[in-house]
Amino acid sequence: MLKLCALNDIPDGKAKGFCVEGPKLAQRLFVIRRGTGAIGYVDVCPHNLSRLDPLDNAFLTDDGEHICCYIHFALFEIDTGKCIDGPCFGDCLTPCPIKVEGGDIYLERDNVEVVDELSQWMSDMAPKA
């Protein structure tokens, strides 16, 4: 498992993005803190495979009730990743295997690391076109 951050590094109801790389994995992802839990998704809009956050860590609507693609203004349910409004209505974000343990948030993958910027292009967590 890869430690992404401490749970307390993300304020409750907010999100934070990460870049991770390893064999067969090169992906931007984001984690939303929900109390003592967390939910993770790949940072890719199913509409045209662009990033959701052209501004760093801008993944949620101002009221924190939905995930938002700030390029297409599609809205997604936080708990399911399902698009409820916008050009990809009915599509879903790709979930990431996230685990909270001992006050830390982990990506449930081995042989990966957090990087400043992605250098690889392919990922087995990429949305399937």
Side-chain angles (χ1 to χ4, degrees), residues 7-115:
L7 182 66
N8 288 335
D9 288 345
I10 304 174
D12 193 15
K14 301 294 183 184
K16 183 175 182 177
F18 301 90
C19 293
V20 295
E21 277 193 8
K24 297 184 181 182
L25 177 68
Q27 198 59 260
R28 286 184 166 87
L29 57 99
F30 64 100
V31 175
I32 304 163
R33 179 175 173 190
R34 305 279 280 198
T36 59
I39 299 168
Y41 292 103
V42 174
D43 181 10
V44 174
C45 180
H47 172 233
N48 74 350
L49 306 182
S50 65
R51 287 179 62 174
L52 296 168
D53 71 325
L55 307 170
D56 288 336
N57 296 312
F59 297 103
L60 303 178
T61 55
D62 289 340
D63 62 9
E65 295 295 315
H66 295 93
I67 299 165
C68 182
C69 173
Y70 281 95
I71 294 175
H72 310 106
F73 297 101
L75 295 177
F76 302 85
E77 295 175 338
I78 291 175
D79 292 328
T80 66
K82 184 175 181 178
C83 182
I84 57 169
D85 190 26
C88 50
F89 183 82
D91 289 339
C92 291
L93 298 173
T94 302
C96 288
I98 298 296
K99 180 178 184 176
V100 177
E101 186 175 278
D104 293 320
I105 301 172
Y106 295 90
L107 175 64
E108 294 189 81
R109 293 288 297 252
D110 292 322
N111 302 315
V112 293
E113 64 182 336
V114 175
V115 294

